[in-house]
Amino acid sequence: CGAGLLPASLVEQVPVINAHPGLIPAVRGLDAFLWAIHDGQPLGVSLHKLDADIDAGEHLISRRTKVRPGDDIFDLSARHYQNEIDLMIGFQQYLGKPDKPLVDPTPRPPRKRMPADLARETVARFPNYAKKFAWPDQ
């Protein structure tokens, strides 16, 4: 439901786990999938405990989302979404034993919703992103 929708008083008292469609702390906030592509960041998903800040609570685990040769943005977004669901399904195994973030641990500020014109530009530039981040076929 999004960290901004829950009052700080609740997340301070009740542990809430969030699945975030970005590799935190590098990609925080809304439209993380598009912002990662726009900024040339690797794609992945993260589980973390909510706190009063946006996507800044205790990091539990992150997983990269594979970019396959020949992917279009729709193939990749479906795989990315499935990666997020798969991570949520087994969240209990990560409680009490957090893993290190997969990216530079320096937090970047959270982003707001990507403007529509910038989203169109990002989608148009996707083929270059896919070439840069494609994993070899296995």
Side-chain angles (χ1 to χ4, degrees):
C1 76
L5 300 177
L6 297 177
S9 60
L10 174 66
V11 296
E12 290 168 2
Q13 295 178 25
V14 178
V16 178
I17 306 301
N18 182 48
H20 176 68
L23 293 174
I24 56 175
V27 182
R28 298 171 50 210
L30 297 173
D31 287 338
F33 176 80
L34 288 173
W35 282 117
I37 293 168
H38 177 271
D39 294 342
Q41 295 288 319
L43 277 174
V45 298
S46 302
L47 284 182
H48 67 101
K49 291 183 181 178
L50 290 184
D51 67 7
D53 294 323
I54 297 170
D55 298 326
E58 179 188 2
H59 176 270
L60 297 174
I61 190 164
S62 293
R63 280 192 194 151
R64 292 277 306 266
T65 299
K66 290 183 180 181
V67 181
R68 295 187 178 136
D71 270 349
D72 64 25
I73 199 164
F74 302 105
D75 296 328
L76 183 58
S77 66
R79 187 175 319 105
H80 189 69
Y81 182 64
Q82 188 61 51
N83 193 15
E84 190 174 5
I85 291 170
D86 292 345
L87 200 58
M88 284 191 300
I89 289 170
F91 81 93
Q92 301 93 331
Q93 64 187 312
Y94 309 114
L95 298 176
K97 49 182 177 182
D99 205 358
K100 293 179 182 177
L102 295 178
V103 292
D104 178 359
T106 306
R108 293 185 180 173
R111 304 295 270 283
K112 295 190 178 201
R113 177 88 45 214
M114 182 178 278
D117 58 335
L118 191 56
R120 283 189 293 276
E121 177 186 317
T122 300
V123 170
R125 292 189 344 221
F126 175 75
N128 291 331
Y129 177 90
K131 285 178 190 171
K132 178 179 177 183
F133 287 98
W135 292 36
D137 281 336
Q138 296 180 4

